[in-house]
Amino acid sequence: MSGEAPRGPGGFDTTVANIARMNDYFLGGKDNFAADREAADRLFAIAPEIKDMVVENRRFLGRAVRYLCARGVRQFIDVSAGLPTRNNTHQVARSQDPRSVTVYVDDDPVVLSHARAILVDSASSSVIEGDILHPRELLDRCRDDGLIDFDRPVAVIILGALQFIPHSDEPFKSVALLRDMLPGGSHLALSHAVFDNRPDAVTPVEDVYRALLNRPGENAARTLDDVRPFFDGFDLAEPGLVPLRAWRPDRPVDTAPPKGIWMAGGIGRKP
């Protein structure tokens, strides 16, 4: 029909930028369109280091999953993981122990479509619709479908997702509720953009994402101290909540300079 917005293979409007496809562009992937690249380039103009932040976030994922596997965790729930790329959670976990099980959770139809297509033949990986703001429904689905055994520890991974959830949606309350429903010995792995060293970037970066998410006036910007309460009730593993490059690096590296990788991460264990 004339005048209809262009559609991608999954029937999605390709003229509207999508955060998952923007991250794919940051990572050098091909599952993105002109609108995604244009929005990403607006962010580049504000803070060119954002691309490095996305790359470091993926590297942190690999280190985090290996750390968790070394502590006996074999069940992973990856919330808002984004589009599948290389070294996904299930791939890293299975490289450590083929018996590892991963459940991907997302509410983005673009992500769900791609993930289900890629994981269709993977018996140890599942994809379900859900989000961190509805933790009870999320965990009930994992339990009712027999995807996760809640008599054993579980690792919940939330990387680079909470930073898009405004304060008004009470994400801390949702993470606390999820924590309370997890068995003892479970872990939370989390990363989050922090603006301590880039206060000048708060307004322009937030403006781009507010427009993408159609949330005018909403604020989700946080500092390192603002992010710490997500780990309330967890015992933080060393070295704590720190810049991503400083969290158990595979080899000695310089931590981020003041205007470098302004993203922090950490892992906590529920006693």
Side-chain angles (χ1 to χ4, degrees), residues 18 21 37 60 120 127 160 244 253 261 267:
N18 173 275
R21 293 196 305 254
R37 296 188 287 273
F60 172 66
V120 66
V127 182
L244 290 185
V253 295
I261 309 303
I267 294 182

Side-chain angles (χ1 to χ4, degrees), residues 133-181:
L133 294 179
H134 299 88
R136 189 177 301 281
E137 292 87 340
L138 186 164
L139 295 187
D140 283 348
R141 174 76 185 278
C142 289
R143 179 183 293 106
D144 294 345
D145 290 357
L147 305 175
I148 295 291
D149 177 3
F150 286 96
D151 290 329
R152 298 188 293 126
V154 183
V156 177
I157 298 172
I158 314 174
L159 301 192
L162 291 165
Q163 63 208 33
F164 300 116
I165 302 178
H167 311 319
S168 58
D169 282 349
E170 300 184 304
F172 295 97
K173 183 181 292 185
S174 294
V175 172
L177 179 58
L178 181 142
R179 175 202 65 214
D180 292 345
M181 292 186 293

Side-chain angles (χ1 to χ4, degrees), residues 214-227:
N214 193 26
R215 284 179 164 172
E218 297 279 16
N219 181 24
R222 300 181 179 100
T223 64
L224 193 67
D225 284 340
D226 293 332
V227 173

Side-chain angles (χ1 to χ4, degrees), residues 107-125:
D107 61 354
D108 184 335
V110 174
V111 172
L112 292 171
S113 176
H114 279 259
R116 284 170 176 154
I118 288 174
L119 298 174
V120 66
D121 294 325
S122 178
S124 62
S125 305

